[in-house]
């Protein structure tokens, strides 16, 4: 079987986090009753005129800068014409030849190093309006489709990658990193269930044959409802294209670009209506909208206001806080609020590794167990910092720190009060020695066993020591007992 | 620029216009005349002229991101040939 390489490019549509629509004041809130968030602009009524939402342009520029895109000084909007019931004007306002941002890049990496880190080129990210929603409801009208125009005119940023991805793992990593970036920038909530983030994939194969490299016709996959679906669809489609090439021998250019829909239940892509050629959309500049000119000063200001990107934050965590790349990745993936919490904990206790462990392990575990969101966590960062500091100073035995942690969350008290309530305190060394002497005197067999080389016999004493004094550090008890026996 | 009957037929299809064979003949000739007229502009030397993307000089016309009241649903649906008081009803959307 000949070798082949899978060539993947992704188109991601994200809904920008504005309050109002792109060209009118209607709300963009999700979940409203159908057709209660429309106006003459949304409905495409004659004479209605669109006016650009400044915030949508600001968020789009911010995203472009974060993707290292060029932001051309001049951009305009075009009409993309096609007929569909969810598009009342008969055209979508989009951007054709002069997009708001272009030629960027996004680095992708894998924590488990299943692929080498690489840069994915971004072709462009342009601003456009969303269409309405059609649903087929038998009960509504004997086989009619129901059109809801609430979503019409919602601002979308279409982010198009170059075909730089080579397998479903890389595609997944690209989507994860892009979503993380957009979430950190606060430009979109990226909620796939509510349609705030949608993915289309363009895929074909480069097959090595004795006669040279052959490319298969490009297929666009739609209806990808989750990142997992993207991975599965790409894996399926690569194999399907290879089988098709074996059967038909069709190469790129010999068959038109086709669109296939992903069926998540069947685990297959299925052919859809043939895609219209780009020229068929008859793009032309929208005369209702003024172009946008961005000055170097405005760009410099936007660049200065750009919040730190996930990649920069990971770098900061490994360089300044000496965390491993893996830990830094896990922490950044938990989101900006958790990361800010981490910084606050470190400011209090000075121990980044301990803070990271508590936050990525104990806190995540307890949130999951209690079925709580991070925002509901009843443990201010200063208090966790204090807890870590108490362990570091030896005032709180490590063995009981988790108990204190849970009790702090239950009661809302600080570490000191919880330790008092539980009777936890550092045990004086002389107290420990006395305890060990008492145990050895009561257990002469253990002493004999140890003298005969069976050090593990000490284990029996540790349990007894914990019963007599719960604060006793097991490791120290073991050491002391061995020292005392050696002197006997 | 030569315009064929097929070009006009395709434009009519894309614009959802029903054109009879007689009209198609007539329109092909007219479209050819219109294009020939506009083509005269090609004689002007524009090598040092920046391409114009828009007919107006105006740039940067924005509105603030503020929510304004929407139309009542009855009003939004008022002009629809068919509706069910919640949404517009159209012949079944196929092909998805």
């Amino acid at each position: 079987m000949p070798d082949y390489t899978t060539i993947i490019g992704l188109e991601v549509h994200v809904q920008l986090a504005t309050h109002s629509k792109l060209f009118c004041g209607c709300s963009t809130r999700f979940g409203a009753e159908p057709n209660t968030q429309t106006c003459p602009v949304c409905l495409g009524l004659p004479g209605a005129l669109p006016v650009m939402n400044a915030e949508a342009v600001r968020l789009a520029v911010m995203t472009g800068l974060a993707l290292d895109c060029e932001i051309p000084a001049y951009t305009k909007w075009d009409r993309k014409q096609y007929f569909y019931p969810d598009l009342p004007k008969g055209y979508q306002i989009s951007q054709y030849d002069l997009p708001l941002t272009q030629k960027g890049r996004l680095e992708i990496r894998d924590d488990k190093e299943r692929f080498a880190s690489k840069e994915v080129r971004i072709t462009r990210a342009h601003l456009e309006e969303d269409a309405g929603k059609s649903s087929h409801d038998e009960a509504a009208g004997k086989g009619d489709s129901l059109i809801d125009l609430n979503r019409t005119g919602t601002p979308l940023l279409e982010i198009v990658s170059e075909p730089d991805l080579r397998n479903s793992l890389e595609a997944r990593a690209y989507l994860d990193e892009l979503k993380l970036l957009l979430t950190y920038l606060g430009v979109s909530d990226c909620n796939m269930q509510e349609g705030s983030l949608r993915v289309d994939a363009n895929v074909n194969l480069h097959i090595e044959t004795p006669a040279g490299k052959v490319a298969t016709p490009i297929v666009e996959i739609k209806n990808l409802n989750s990142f997992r679906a993207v991975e599965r669809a790409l894996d399926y489609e690569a194999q399907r294209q290879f089988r098709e090439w074996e059967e038909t021998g069709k190469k790129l250019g010999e068959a038109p670009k086709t669109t296939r829909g992903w069926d998540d239940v069947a685990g297959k892509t299925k052919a859809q209506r043939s895609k219209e050629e780009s020229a068929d959309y008859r793009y032309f500049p929208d005369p209702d909208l003024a172009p946008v000119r961005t000055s170097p000063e405005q760009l410099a200001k936007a660049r200065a206001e750009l919040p730190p990107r996930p990649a920069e934050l990971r770098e900061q965590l490994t360089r300044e806080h000496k965390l491993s790349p893996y830990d830094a990745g896990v922490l950044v993936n938990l989101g900006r609020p958790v990361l800010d919490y981490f910084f606050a904990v470190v400011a209090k206790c000075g121990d980044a590794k301990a803070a990271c462990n508590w936050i990525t392990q104990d806190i995540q575990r307890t949130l999951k167990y209690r079925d709580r969101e991070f925002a509901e966590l009843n443990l201010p960062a200063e208090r966790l910092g204090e807890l870590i500091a108490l362990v570091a100073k030896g005032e709180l035995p490590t063995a009981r720190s988790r108990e204190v942690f849970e009790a702090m969350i239950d009661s809302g008290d600080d570490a000191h009060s919880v330790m008092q309530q539980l009777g936890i305190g550092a045990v004086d060394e002389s107290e420990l020695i006395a305890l060990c002497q008492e145990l050895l005197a009561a257990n002469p067999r253990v002493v004999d066993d140890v003298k005969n080389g069976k050090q593990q016999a000490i284990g029996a004493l540790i349990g007894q020591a914990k019963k007599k004094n719960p604060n006793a550090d097991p490791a120290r008890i073991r050491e002391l007992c061995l020292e005392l026996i050696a002197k006997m | 620029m030569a315009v064929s009957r097929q070009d006009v037929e395709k434009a009519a299809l894309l614009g959802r216009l029903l054109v009879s064979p007689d009209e198609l003949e007539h329109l092909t000739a007219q479209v050819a005349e219109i294009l020939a007229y506009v083509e005269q502009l090609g004689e002007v030397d524009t090598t040092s002229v920046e391409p114009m993307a828009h007919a107006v000089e105006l740039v940067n016309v924005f509105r603030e991101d503020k929510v304004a009241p929407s139309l009542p649903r009855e009003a939004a649906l008022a002009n629809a040939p068919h509706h069910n008081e919640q949404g517009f009803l159209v012949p079944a959307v196929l092909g998805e």
Side-chain angles (χ1 to χ4, degrees):
Chain A
M1 184 175 121
D3 272 348
Y4 65 79
T5 310
T6 312
I7 311 293
I8 303 162
L10 296 177
E11 286 173 23
V12 176
H13 285 86
V14 282
Q15 180 178 332
L16 295 174
T18 57
H19 302 294
S20 65
K21 292 185 181 180
L22 191 50
F23 304 122
C24 66
C26 288
S27 170
T28 54
R29 192 170 57 88
F30 178 81
E33 281 291 304
N35 296 301
T36 54
Q37 290 173 179
T38 72
C39 71
V41 173
C42 310
L43 298 169
L45 299 186
L49 286 173
V51 186
M52 183 66 65
N53 183 335
E55 179 67 0
V57 174
R58 191 185 74 84
L59 295 175
V61 168
M62 197 205 277
T63 310
L65 288 174
L67 290 167
D68 288 323
C69 285
E70 292 172 7
I71 315 289
Y74 185 85
T75 185
K76 66 165 171 90
W77 276 265
D78 303 278
R79 292 183 177 182
K80 178 180 178 177
Q81 345 255 341
Y82 63 94
F83 287 105
Y84 211 69
D86 63 11
L87 189 75
K89 296 194 299 300
Y91 59 85
Q92 178 196 25
I93 301 177
S94 181
Q95 299 199 280
Y96 184 53
D97 56 339
L98 297 173
L100 193 63
T101 79
Q102 61 189 7
K103 294 181 193 156
R105 61 205 158 94
L106 182 68
E107 190 178 284
I108 58 167
R109 45 175 253 309
D110 184 43
D111 282 337
K112 299 183 185 125
E113 294 181 359
R114 287 167 296 185
F115 62 83
S117 296
K118 70 192 276 187
E119 218 165 64
V120 179
R121 290 169 299 157
I122 306 292
T123 315
R124 58 193 278 164
H126 71 251
L127 194 53
E128 63 182 28
E129 61 173 336
D130 204 348
K133 196 174 102 187
S134 58
S135 52
H136 196 67
D137 183 359
E138 294 290 341
K142 297 192 185 74
D144 284 345
S145 288
L146 186 78
I147 306 291
D148 173 9
L149 297 180
N150 282 350
R151 217 173 62 184
T152 308
T154 297
L156 297 179
L157 191 68
E158 179 176 337
I159 303 166
V160 184
S161 87
E162 291 287 315
D164 287 348
L165 301 159
R166 293 292 170 268
N167 54 54
S168 57
L169 265 182
E170 291 186 1
R172 176 62 189 261
Y174 171 81
L175 291 171
D176 283 337
E177 186 66 15
L178 184 62
K179 182 180 171 186
L180 194 65
L181 176 69
L182 297 168
T183 314
Y184 267 81
L185 294 176
V187 298
S188 175
D189 66 17
C190 295
N191 186 329
M192 276 188 109
Q193 275 80 41
E194 295 179 2
S196 304
L197 190 153
R198 285 169 252 161
V199 185
D200 298 331
N202 283 291
V203 55
N204 76 336
L205 308 178
H206 285 177
I207 303 170
E208 300 294 339
T209 72
K213 196 171 73 181
V214 172
T216 59
I218 297 172
V219 170
E220 178 170 4
I221 313 174
K222 289 189 174 288
N223 196 31
L224 297 164
N225 290 324
S226 67
F227 287 179
R228 181 76 197 118
V230 175
E231 288 182 81
R232 292 178 64 209
L234 288 171
D235 287 339
Y236 173 85
E237 184 59 22
Q239 288 178 27
R240 191 199 65 78
Q241 286 189 22
F242 187 77
R243 281 197 309 272
E244 188 174 85
W245 174 77
E246 282 185 317
E247 281 161 26
T248 67
K250 280 258 166 61
K251 290 184 243 168
L252 184 68
E254 293 175 357
K257 177 173 170 177
T258 49
T259 304
R260 300 180 71 85
W262 171 247
D263 181 334
D264 208 45
V265 178
K268 288 175 176 176
T269 61
K270 292 175 179 171
Q272 291 188 336
R273 70 191 150 83
S274 70
K275 199 171 165 68
E276 284 178 284
E277 290 294 316
S278 164
D280 281 359
Y281 288 128
R282 293 148 295 141
Y283 283 96
F284 68 77
D286 192 312
D288 291 343
L289 285 164
V292 168
R293 214 175 253 292
T294 312
S295 69
E297 294 75 33
Q298 285 171 310
L299 270 190
K301 185 166 172 282
R303 207 167 255 131
E305 288 169 357
L306 200 63
R309 291 172 275 188
E312 290 156 348
L313 290 165
R314 283 191 293 265
E315 216 269 319
Q316 183 193 347
L317 290 171
T318 50
R319 186 170 35 82
E320 281 176 32
H321 297 279
K322 308 289 178 231
L323 292 183
S324 69
Y326 179 83
D327 279 344
V330 172
L331 204 49
V332 170
N333 284 349
L334 289 171
R336 188 75 230 193
V338 177
L339 191 62
D340 287 337
Y341 184 86
F342 165 82
F343 287 132
V345 173
V346 175
K348 181 78 185 175
C349 72
D351 188 341
K353 178 61 185 161
C356 177
N357 288 347
W358 277 100
I359 291 166
T360 60
Q361 292 163 30
D362 301 88
I363 287 186
Q364 295 313 309
R365 199 183 302 126
T366 200
L367 287 176
K368 197 171 174 191
Y369 180 72
R370 292 163 193 249
D371 197 19
R372 291 269 191 284
E373 295 292 324
F374 177 75
E376 301 169 286
L377 179 68
N378 187 23
L379 182 66
E382 295 69 34
R383 290 197 173 168
L384 178 60
E386 196 179 18
L387 175 78
I388 295 170
L390 285 169
V391 174
K393 279 188 272 180
E395 287 174 32
L396 168 58
T398 308
R400 299 199 70 185
S401 59
R402 193 162 159 83
E403 197 186 329
V404 173
F405 166 80
E406 294 288 350
M408 283 167 76
I409 293 175
D410 286 335
S411 65
D413 292 334
D414 66 11
H416 284 291
S417 348
V418 166
M419 282 165 68
Q420 215 157 34
Q421 287 156 30
L422 296 174
I424 299 174
V427 187
D428 193 60
E429 183 83 352
S430 60
E431 215 177 305
L432 277 184
I433 294 173
L435 176 64
C436 290
Q437 281 168 335
E438 183 191 330
L439 288 170
L440 292 175
N443 295 279
R445 272 193 60 187
V446 172
V447 176
D448 287 344
D449 285 348
V450 172
K451 281 189 167 166
N452 292 330
K454 278 179 69 183
Q455 288 211 352
Q456 66 271 33
I458 292 287
L461 299 185
I462 302 211
Q464 291 184 40
K466 290 281 293 174
K467 256 184 219 143
K468 286 183 184 292
N469 186 343
N471 293 322
D473 175 10
R476 190 65 192 136
I477 293 281
R478 176 185 295 273
E479 281 168 18
L480 283 173
C481 284
L482 288 173
E483 277 173 32
L484 288 170
I485 292 169
K487 286 185 209 152
M488 277 166 119
Chain B
M1 183 180 148
V3 175
S4 70
R5 206 183 146 97
Q6 282 76 25
D7 292 332
V8 178
E9 211 168 7
K10 188 180 176 191
L13 176 76
L14 290 171
R16 302 295 185 272
L17 297 172
L18 190 61
V19 181
S20 70
D22 282 353
E23 284 173 314
L24 198 56
E25 200 71 41
H26 185 58
L27 283 170
T28 304
Q30 282 193 340
V31 169
E33 274 176 42
I34 293 167
L35 289 179
Y37 176 69
V38 175
E39 217 173 340
Q40 292 180 68
L41 288 171
E43 292 166 20
V44 183
D45 180 9
T46 55
T47 39
S48 60
V49 180
E50 207 183 312
M52 186 178 76
H54 203 281
V56 288
E57 293 286 323
L58 227 51
V59 291
N60 299 0
V61 179
F62 294 117
R63 43 170 279 274
E64 251 186 274
D65 182 25
K66 281 214 174 111
V67 174
S70 295
L71 284 175
R73 181 154 69 183
E74 308 82 72
L77 298 173
N79 292 320
H82 300 287
H83 66 82
N84 66 356
E85 286 170 14
Q86 292 183 11
F88 301 86
L89 292 178
V90 299
V93 178
L94 301 170
E96 276 301 315

